[in-house]
Amino acid sequence: MLDINNLHVKLEDEDRTIVNGLTLNVKPGEVHAIMGPNGSGKSTLSYVLAGRAGYEVTDGSVTFKGEDLLEMSPDQRAAKGVFLAFQYPIEIPGVVTMQFLKVALNAQRKARGEKELSTPDFMRLVKDRAAKLNVSQDMLKRPVNVGFSGGEKKRAEILQMAVLEPSLCILDETDSGLDIDALRVVADGVNALRSPDRAMIVITHYQRLLDYIVPDHVHVLSKGRIVKSGDKSLALELEKQGYAEFDKSAA
Amino acid sequence: MSIALARTAAEEALDFSLPHRRMEEWRWTDLRQMIDKPYPPRQMVTAEQGEVERLLKSSPFAAIAGARMVFVNGHYDSKHSKLVNSAVEPQAEITEPVQQMNAAFATDGARLVLSGSIDTPVELVFIATDAAPRTIATHNVIEVAGGASATIIETHIGKGSYLANSVTEIRIGEGARLDRVKADLESHDATHLAHAHVTLSANVTYREFTLSTGAKLNRQNGTYAFKGEHTDAKISGAYLLAGKQHADSRLVVDHQVPNCASRELFKCVMDDHARSIFQGKVIVRPHAQKTDGKQSSHALLLSETAEFDAKPELEIFADDVACGHGATAGDLNEDHLFYLESRGITPAEAKALLIAAFVGEAFETIDHDGIREALTDYAARWLTEHRRKG
Ligand SMILES: Nc1ncnc2c1ncn2[C@@H]1O[C@H](COP(=O)(O)OP(=O)(O)OP(=O)(O)O)[C@@H](O)[C@H]1O
Ligand SMILES: [Mg+2]
């Protein structure tokens, strides 16, 4: 589904390489966890996959469902099925969450040549998904992320994901800032979306999330490249030992 | 010492000296230079009925207004009006150029006394039909009786090239509430010069909203005199400007008594070479303690050649007051755009959503649901049409 090959990314206005020869292959149905020290390039990788401006790909390729992902605009990528749950979700004053969800869903459907969802059908869908994620009707009436607590923002991201039903879900530290109950709610929400034709990349610092969302593969990212891959036991190992060893090997 | 300036063709036609940039309040809007051709006054124009009806229908409030009073080319149109004038006389002192020009050329205007509780909005429609360039001036006097409540809409629509001068004098009695909505939807070849003179008694609630999107040249003055305590006024506006449109608003909020509140909120969206100016002055007289006066103006510049100037002035002579002002200008936030686009929203749609969100804050101040929706729709249409154009 997703083929990242020898990817090199630098900042557009600085001569600084952040992603440095990263290769990753994600198949439908798989869950990949990416762990790694602060500043190792995890969020940068997720932004590059989502199409954020400010980064320049200097080498390598990214293929998504057989097409060159890097050639697509962010909205085209979303319509194709890419979804990024932001590490720091952005507040948008004046745009009501409910309206935003509707515009987004229908824009994607339109881009895929599908029929737009009627308002009652849409309301039913959102109500159902929101209830499962403990997102209140009040939050849906408020502007996107404005005044949401840290945990509410993360839940709102997962709600968007549950409504948009993407085929590649990238979760960037969705667990940080969540209390223990919220973590379970979010993990249940994510697990509900697991399916044989949907893949997930879960970026996290903590083994705890991976107890709930059990990954097929765990990768350690250091200085912009994957320095070790393994199964879920690698996460446990990291929890005990930290990253010191991998930092050395990446140097 | 004053220097005699040679009269421009426009001044000759009017036999009137236009304000110019050496006058502080007109520094950004030099009418001597900007009014580039003569607009002779007192030109009777017979309006074509079809055109009048088309223009009337184009009012966003056509389905909302209860009673209408229609002025065509500066004259009362009995055929399309439901209301007739009451006996009420102007009282405002004539001190500034727009008023002086109006005093010289006004042909007609609404004279209304509103009393009791009037549920459906009253619409005053000012129509200019297509004809040779000319000056059209109207003078309205609206008196709101003590304890009354009413909503009044002023709609300015037209076709062709003309200079519309509109002065509205409003006096609001004790305990009354007035919601005033003004929509400047003039022809894009028109010049719109307006002056509102609002006097507020005690315990009054006053809400004003102005949408400015017509006219190539637009100047609006507003003076708001607080003459009774515990009065609360909100004055808001939205500008949607493109091409070479120029809009300049000068508001003077004059707190003459204690315990009153004023809020000014202006949101300007500008594209191409459009330019807008917000001059807001808040005066707090020496004994007007506990005045709560705030003013803010914000501009969204959609092109690098659009320009916004803000000139806030606070003249505070009382010591126990809460007054402040803020002005910002910027373009669309890249992070906001990316977030929306990352959810599948196209760049054009994302832009439109953010622009609507930006001006939305000003529209939110309109209490009447029907009016707010009509104007929000109008703004949305502006955005779509504007986007299609370029
Ligand atoms: N737009 C930018 N401007 C300047 N530096 C940037 C930019 N984007 C990323 N960086 C830098 O690139 C490096 C990688 O950042 P990134 O956010 O990808 O790390 P991360 O692995 O997600 O870290 P964390 O675990 O703290 O979230 C950091 O040193 C960061 O400062
Ligand atoms: Mg990060």
Side-chain angles (χ1 to χ4, degrees):
Chain A
M1 170 177 280
L2 179 73
D3 265 305
I4 307 176
N5 201 349
N6 190 31
L7 187 67
H8 288 71
V9 178
K10 75 181 247 322
L11 295 174
E12 211 166 58
D13 10 287
E14 246 180 86
D15 230 0
R16 206 170 130 207
T17 299
I18 312 286
V19 176
N20 201 1
L22 187 141
T23 297
L24 179 67
N25 188 289
V26 180
K27 293 193 180 64
E30 290 182 345
V31 174
H32 289 245
I34 296 183
M35 306 181 82
N38 295 133
S40 56
K42 303 182 297 295
S43 293
T44 303
L45 172 66
S46 71
Y47 286 146
V48 170
L49 294 177
R52 189 175 200 152
Y55 303 101
E56 193 185 320
V57 173
T58 52
D59 201 3
S61 64
V62 181
T63 311
F64 179 61
K65 294 179 179 168
E67 285 180 61
D68 184 353
L69 187 71
L70 302 175
E71 279 298 305
M72 299 178 209
S73 60
D75 57 305
Q76 288 170 336
R77 296 179 197 206
K80 269 251 157 224
V82 175
F83 181 92
L84 167 62
F86 284 61
Q87 181 174 2
Y88 304 108
I90 288 165
E91 300 189 3
I92 309 190
V95 178
V96 174
T97 305
M98 199 71 171
Q99 180 203 10
F100 159 70
L101 282 170
K102 188 163 182 230
V103 173
L105 180 62
N106 281 332
Q108 291 200 12
R109 294 176 70 99
K110 211 168 129 194
R112 292 193 291 259
E114 297 164 13
K115 243 184 76 194
E116 294 191 5
L117 217 56
S118 72
T119 302
D121 285 347
F122 169 78
M123 299 293 279
R124 220 168 296 130
L125 174 74
V126 174
K127 254 203 172 123
D128 171 72
R129 301 295 143 92
K132 286 187 180 132
L133 288 160
N134 276 349
V135 172
S136 66
Q137 290 301 303
D138 172 60
M139 270 168 73
L140 296 173
K141 283 184 203 138
R142 274 152 60 187
V144 178
N145 292 323
V146 177
F148 289 15
S149 75
E152 285 170 343
K153 282 182 184 163
K154 296 302 177 80
R155 268 188 283 140
E157 291 288 289
I158 301 305
L159 171 66
Q160 291 176 31
M161 191 167 99
V163 168
L164 298 172
E165 301 182 315
S167 47
L168 175 66
C169 310
I170 307 165
L171 310 181
D172 191 359
E173 292 197 28
T174 300
D175 51 340
S176 60
L178 290 181
D179 65 42
I180 295 165
D181 294 336
L183 181 66
R184 182 161 300 160
V185 168
V186 162
D188 286 347
V190 173
N191 283 330
L193 284 168
R194 286 187 74 158
S195 92
D197 38 36
R198 180 174 289 131
M200 297 192 181
I201 297 176
V202 180
I203 298 170
T204 182
H205 286 295
Y206 305 107
Q207 151 65 24
R208 202 178 55 204
L209 177 71
L210 305 179
D211 284 340
Y212 295 113
I213 307 171
V214 182
D216 302 298
H217 303 276
V218 176
H219 310 279
V220 180
L221 193 69
S222 177
K223 300 196 171 87
R225 78 170 64 134
I226 290 173
V227 292
K228 183 155 185 162
S229 298
D231 61 13
K232 62 184 179 190
S233 65
L234 178 57
L236 286 164
E237 208 179 300
L238 287 168
E239 185 102 325
K240 280 195 220 104
Q241 294 173 358
Y243 296 116
E245 194 185 324
F246 304 105
D247 267 0
K248 247 182 275 139
S249 62
Chain B
M1 189 187 81
S2 71
I3 303 158
L5 296 162
R7 280 195 155 184
T8 64
E11 288 177 317
E12 279 301 336
L14 288 165
D15 189 19
F16 182 85
S17 296
L18 292 167
H20 51 81
R21 67 167 169 269
R22 266 161 292 182
M23 299 158 72
E24 179 55 27
E25 289 152 24
W26 292 86
R27 58 187 278 204
W28 285 285
T29 304
D30 187 331
L31 291 190
R32 268 180 60 93
Q33 275 197 359
M34 297 176 81
I35 298 184
D36 54 354
K37 64 179 171 208
Y39 291 93
R42 302 182 194 90
Q43 292 247 66
M44 284 297 284
V45 172
T46 9
E48 201 239 300
Q49 280 312 297
E51 198 180 341
V52 170
E53 259 138 46
R54 254 193 320 279
L55 287 165
L56 259 179
K57 250 192 232 137
S58 75
S59 159
F61 313 107
I64 296 167
R68 267 182 158 177
M69 198 178 238
V70 179
F71 295 86
V72 177
N73 297 326
H75 296 274
Y76 180 73
D77 176 356
S78 57
K79 185 168 171 237
H80 296 102
S81 299
K82 266 199 201 159
L83 287 174
V84 291
N85 275 342
S86 317
V88 52
E89 290 307 312
Q91 290 174 4
E93 215 187 319
I94 294 166
T95 55
E96 88 65 66
V98 175
Q99 284 177 299
Q100 286 158 354
M101 189 181 194
N102 188 276
F105 306 117
T107 44
D108 209 338
R111 298 285 156 94
L112 292 175
V113 177
L114 306 172
S115 49
S117 152
I118 305 168
D119 287 338
T120 48
V122 174
E123 186 184 18
L124 309 179
V125 192
F126 301 89
I127 288 178
T129 58
D130 207 7
R134 69 218 177 277
T135 291
I136 301 165
T138 43
H139 187 127
N140 312 307
V141 181
I142 296 159
E143 201 172 278
V144 183
S149 68
T151 298
I152 197 144
I153 307 171
E154 285 174 45
T155 312
H156 298 262
I157 342 177
K159 198 160 174 257
S161 177
Y162 55 90
L163 188 160
N165 176 307
S166 167
V167 168
T168 299
E169 195 177 323
I170 297 174
R171 302 193 286 269
I172 309 177
E174 277 192 30
R177 171 174 180 136
L178 180 69
D179 291 69
R180 174 179 182 237
V181 173
K182 180 165 181 267
D184 294 326
L185 317 173
E186 304 275 23
S187 143
H188 280 272
D189 278 329
T191 293
H192 180 86
L193 306 176
H195 188 101
H197 189 98
V198 182
T199 312
L200 307 153
S201 317
N203 297 307
V204 161
T205 303
Y206 180 65
R207 298 285 176 267
E208 181 185 294
F209 177 87
T210 302
L211 172 67
S212 305
T213 187
K216 61 178 178 186
L217 172 57
N218 185 323
R219 161 73 177 214
Q220 305 191 55
N221 303 318
T223 66
Y224 307 84
F226 287 74
K227 294 193 177 285
E229 294 190 38
H230 304 290
T231 279
D232 157 48
K234 277 200 182 112
I235 302 148
S236 321
Y239 288 70
L240 304 172
L241 306 172
K244 289 185 174 165
Q245 285 182 292
H246 176 109
D248 180 350
S249 282
R250 181 164 195 278
L251 270 51
V252 180
V253 170
D254 186 0
H255 286 278
Q256 302 178 6
V257 294
N259 296 312
C260 291
S262 61
R263 284 282 174 285
E264 291 163 68
L265 173 67
F266 279 73
K267 293 273 185 138
C268 316
V269 177
M270 280 167 290
D271 205 350
D272 309 326
H273 288 81
R275 180 157 193 203
S276 82
I277 300 111
F278 179 78
Q279 310 184 60
K281 184 174 190 167
V282 177
I283 306 168
V284 181
R285 309 259 170 184
H287 57 281
Q289 300 294 5
K290 307 277 180 204
T291 290
D292 174 7
K294 296 203 175 58
Q295 180 195 96
S296 62
S297 58
H298 305 283
L300 180 57
L301 307 170
L302 300 176
S303 83
E304 283 178 11
T305 45
E307 191 179 328
F308 173 66
D309 296 284
K311 185 187 172 202
E313 282 177 277
L314 299 180
E315 285 185 5
I316 301 175
F317 302 102
D319 49 20
D320 185 14
V321 300
C323 288
H325 62 80
T328 59
D331 50 10
L332 287 171
N333 183 309
E334 289 297 328
D335 289 340
H336 292 177
L337 282 170
F338 173 64
Y339 191 79
L340 296 175
E341 288 168 34
S342 79
R343 292 339 185 202
I345 300 171
T346 62
E349 216 173 339
K351 224 171 134 179
L353 264 180
L354 293 179
I355 298 168
F358 173 83
V359 286
E361 197 190 344
F363 286 94
E364 284 307 312
T365 63
I366 305 171
D367 263 4
H368 190 285
D369 293 340
I371 298 176
R372 188 180 57 251
E373 280 156 26
L375 283 178
T376 307
D377 287 353
Y378 192 92
R381 275 201 305 281
W382 182 87
L383 283 175
T384 333
E385 270 159 38
H386 183 62
R387 225 188 317 145
R388 198 181 304 133
K389 183 172 63 89

